[in-house]
Amino acid sequence: ANMNKNLSRVSSLLRWSVKNGFIQVNYAEGLQIKRTTRADEDRSPYSDEQLRKVFSHRLYTHREYKYPWQYWIPLLGLYTGARLNELCQLYVGDVRKVDGIWVISINADTPDKKLKTCSAARCIPLHSKLLSLGLLDYIESQKVTCNGRVFPELQLSRDGYGRKVSKWYANFRKKLILTDDDSKEPDFHSFRHNVSMSLR
């Protein structure tokens, strides 16, 4: 998908070049690499054993972490199925009650937030497990931070707020050795598959 995205960008540049008389032919026009698998087959969900391995780590059982996001973001991924950047860009005001139910609002209501698609804006109910672990107490404690974000330690980069978390989580899960086959190793996005699979 990323290679096709880059080919499309090259084609756009060459199309502009043809239009403005810099070159004669756009050799990248229509050039795409055919997918051999469906998009939903690219990542496997976590098995029950793999989930136990991740969440029985001392980071979760004894809350031994350097930053709160190391604890909360994987748990939020597991219980909401939200994308990594959607969680990293949350503001305190995005956690609220709707019709008596605590939810997180995924939106792009500030310039620093972005959504992958137009339909990505949504409210996701917060699982009772997250509430019993003290998520709301953590959110309340973040109201005193100067920028109003749920995870103020995360910095905005070109692709959003998730870069640091993505790198950290990749290293964290590799140390756990979840599988012998690196190509089948579940990643953060795999939590989305666990949620959709459980709902089905």
Side-chain angles (χ1 to χ4, degrees), residues 167-180:
K167 190 174 180 180
W168 166 80
Y169 188 74
N171 291 331
F172 172 72
R173 76 162 202 275
K174 277 179 184 173
K175 288 175 185 173
L176 297 176
I177 312 174
L178 299 177
T179 176
D180 295 331

Side-chain angles (χ1 to χ4, degrees), residues 54-67 70-71 75 133 172:
V54 171
F55 293 103
S56 63
H57 189 277
R58 289 183 67 84
L59 190 157
Y60 299 99
T61 59
H62 291 71
R63 300 201 182 199
E64 293 181 356
Y65 51 79
K66 185 176 181 181
Y67 301 107
Q70 294 171 322
Y71 179 80
L75 284 168
L133 287 170
F172 172 72

